[in-house]
Amino acid sequence: MRLLDLSDLPHRPIEAHGSRGFSVGAFGISADAHLIAVSLAAGGTIGRHPAAGRQLLVVLSGEAEVSGAELTVRRIGPGQAAVWEPGEVHETRSPSGMSGLIVEGDLDIGAPGEQVDPGDV
């Protein structure tokens, strides 16, 4: 077993799409998905851009204000997630700062309460 401290990953700042106070630390990749630790400073923004694949943002600490193609802003906190579809233009802001995890790629993400993988029976 290995333990990962996502806060200790080397992060690089991202300024594309008008982003500010945003940094990423990629720590996993498969043929179908990327695993990325993200940090948004207080007042930070991940600027509006299209999702390269289905994208899941899970808030680990702090809170985020997220919007998708419909431009409705929703606030999410620790243990909550936003899902954007491939090509969907979206934006994330954080008034007070947040850390999170992004998984992006060829993902099957069920509706709330739906079990995608029934596991061993």
Side-chain angles (χ1 to χ4, degrees), residues 3-65:
L3 299 178
L4 299 174
D5 185 339
L6 301 183
S7 64
D8 283 344
L9 291 174
H11 275 66
R12 63 183 174 89
I14 303 292
E15 296 177 349
H17 309 290
S19 299
R20 64 182 186 284
F22 173 44
S23 66
V24 300
F27 67 95
I29 189 169
S30 73
D32 301 323
H34 295 87
L35 304 172
I36 305 162
V38 297
S39 177
L40 263 179
T45 300
I46 303 171
R48 289 193 75 71
H49 66 283
R54 184 164 290 123
Q55 184 174 341
L56 171 75
L57 166 66
V58 179
V59 175
L60 301 175
S61 67
E63 64 182 12
E65 295 174 345

Side-chain angles (χ1 to χ4, degrees), residues 2 6-7 24 26 32 46 54 62 67 75 79 92 97 99 103 112 116:
R2 290 187 298 154
L6 301 183
S7 64
V24 300
D32 301 323
I46 303 171
R54 184 164 290 123
S67 65
R75 187 171 288 216
T92 302
S99 65
V103 181
V116 176

Side-chain angles (χ1 to χ4, degrees), residues 44-104:
T45 300
I46 303 171
R48 289 193 75 71
H49 66 283
R54 184 164 290 123
Q55 184 174 341
L56 171 75
L57 166 66
V58 179
V59 175
L60 301 175
S61 67
E63 64 182 12
E65 295 174 345
V66 295
S67 65
E70 74 290 338
L71 300 176
T72 302
V73 176
R74 305 280 306 271
R75 187 171 288 216
I76 59 174
Q80 294 180 308
V83 178
W84 293 284
E85 295 302 318
E88 183 176 3
V89 177
H90 62 285
E91 181 178 63
T92 302
R93 297 175 179 263
S94 183
S96 59
M98 70 135 235
S99 65
L101 169 69
I102 290 177
V103 181
E104 183 173 48

